Amino acid sequence: MRRHINLRQIEAFKAVIDTGTVSRGAEVLHISQPAMSKLIAHLEADTGLRLFDRVKKRLVPTEHALRLHDEVERIFAGVRQVESAVDALHRETLSRIAVGVLPALSGAFIQRVASNFVEKHGDVFCAVHAMSSHWVAERVAARKLDVGLVNGQSSVPHVRLEPLMELPLVCILPPEHPLAARSCITPDDLDQSAFVAFEPDNSVGDMVSSTFRNHGIAPRIVVSATAALSVCEFVAAGFGVSLVHPLMISGFEARLAVKPFEPSVMYKFQLCRSSEGRNAKIAEAFAAEIRATAGSVSDAILNRR
């Protein structure tokens, strides 16, 4: 009755045929020559096949051995394919980062962050997805995104939130606007002025509307938009003025006048990550790039006022 053969016997058999001698095969497997000879002898005993002829102290494979070797090669080729697949999965996991960003920062700002990140981590593929803050946070919680940028009102469970760049809103104006000569803009300056507003369900828009009500003023809203990029475009085109977070201006620096607005209206974004996120090291590297870019961009915008 034949016994079951084991993987070590198969490895020894393959090494002897591939290298041509028992001694070289033993070197490949990092075992002694007697141990190698014993594995081959046990394989022949367990299979009931004569796999090698002993010719002048050398093992010469028989016809059975050559046919068995063909089968073994197919098995090891399959193992190599599995190893390649495992390597590919590791590369995909370790070399890819998925980032979610709310529309307000989905233009020049996130482009600068990604460019700086890729320059430092050229072997990492970066995928950026623009969507509402709620969906960014939901997908971070579901581990479909590694890092997210959301507004300050996000409260999705199972994500870690880090306040990012809490700064006062600034007034943006067309460069030729009469108020552009002022060193600071106040609520009274905007009463009945042409104003580009955010839609009511926008968090910045809600804060601005509340500020205007508290000061008893009513700007003349000429157009509204859901996205900060659109608001900046309308202001740059001369439709009116608006109030935005400094990071929202990224990419528009040359087309807008930027002035402080007082009293201050503070607004923050939030960096979100899963409490059990994948790609932790890469995600932290990208988060660090977000912080660094946010600091440099906001400093550049605020210092040019």
Side-chain angles (χ1 to χ4, degrees):
M1 180 177 178
R2 294 197 304 270
R3 294 182 298 178
H4 291 294
I5 60 178
N6 59 57
L7 179 60
R8 196 58 169 170
Q9 292 171 343
I10 295 296
E11 289 177 332
F13 169 75
K14 183 176 185 302
V16 170
I17 293 185
D18 289 347
T19 62
T21 67
V22 172
S23 59
R24 290 176 185 169
E27 290 176 2
V28 170
L29 296 186
H30 305 292
I31 61 176
S32 67
Q33 186 170 333
M36 189 70 159
S37 297
K38 184 179 293 185
L39 285 169
I40 295 299
H42 286 171
L43 178 62
E44 288 184 314
D46 292 343
T47 60
L49 298 172
R50 192 178 87 256
L51 299 175
F52 294 95
D53 289 325
R54 278 68 178 172
V55 179
K56 296 182 179 180
K57 297 183 179 181
R58 295 189 60 183
L59 297 184
V60 178
T62 64
E63 179 64 25
H64 284 157
L66 294 176
R67 290 171 59 185
L68 181 60
H69 185 261
D70 288 342
E71 294 298 325
V72 170
E73 273 294 302
R74 278 191 281 271
I75 293 171
F76 275 79
V79 171
R80 288 191 291 271
Q81 286 182 331
V82 172
E83 290 174 342
S84 296
V86 170
D87 289 341
L89 289 172
H90 275 294
R91 287 195 300 272
E92 180 179 325
T93 300
L94 297 176
S95 301
R96 177 186 174 89
I97 184 167
V99 181
V101 58
L102 73 167
L105 301 180
S106 63
F109 174 74
I110 199 63
Q111 182 271 322
R112 292 182 186 183
V113 174
S115 295
N116 293 338
F117 178 81
V118 170
E119 185 176 343
K120 298 174 184 176
H121 307 272
D123 58 336
V124 179
F125 176 78
C126 182
V128 177
H129 307 267
M131 60 190 75
S132 71
S133 287
H134 174 76
W135 285 112
V136 170
E138 286 281 357
R139 294 191 179 193
V140 168
R143 301 177 67 185
K144 294 180 180 179
L145 295 173
D146 299 301
V147 181
L149 270 176
V150 298
N151 62 35
Q153 298 178 338
S154 180
S155 58
V156 173
H158 309 302
V159 298
R160 292 186 289 121
L161 296 172
E162 174 189 331
L164 181 73
M165 299 311 297
E166 184 171 17
L167 293 169
L169 300 183
V170 293
C171 185
I172 56 173
L173 314 92
E176 68 281 1
H177 195 282
L179 292 176
R182 301 280 185 93
S183 59
C184 179
I185 306 299
T186 67
D188 288 341
D189 294 326
L190 301 183
D191 194 26
Q192 296 304 310
S193 294
F195 193 83
V196 179
F198 285 94
E199 287 290 313
D201 59 352
N202 181 281
S203 56
V204 175
D206 288 342
M207 295 180 71
V208 171
S209 296
S210 178
T211 298
F212 290 162
R213 286 195 301 271
N214 292 340
H215 287 83
I217 67 165
R220 181 168 51 88
I221 297 177
V222 294
V223 65
S224 65
T226 58
L229 296 177
S230 299
V231 169
C232 291
E233 284 286 0
F234 281 123
V235 173
F239 279 73
V241 305
S242 192
L243 297 178
V244 300
H245 186 281
L247 289 185
M248 296 176 177
I249 306 169
S250 181
F252 288 87
E253 293 90 341
R255 300 171 59 193
L256 296 170
V258 182
K259 299 295 175 180
F261 181 80
E262 294 181 357
S264 296
V265 180
M266 303 301 292
Y267 185 83
K268 65 185 177 184
F269 295 104
Q270 296 193 96
L271 187 66
C272 66
R273 281 174 287 174
S274 170
S275 54
E276 298 180 356
R278 59 183 184 179
N279 294 348
K281 290 184 178 180
I282 296 178
E284 176 52 38
F286 197 91
E289 200 58 59
I290 289 175
R291 298 186 199 100
T293 304
S296 61
V297 169
S298 59
D299 286 347
I301 290 171
L302 296 176
N303 289 336
R304 66 182 283 270
R305 297 181 301 189

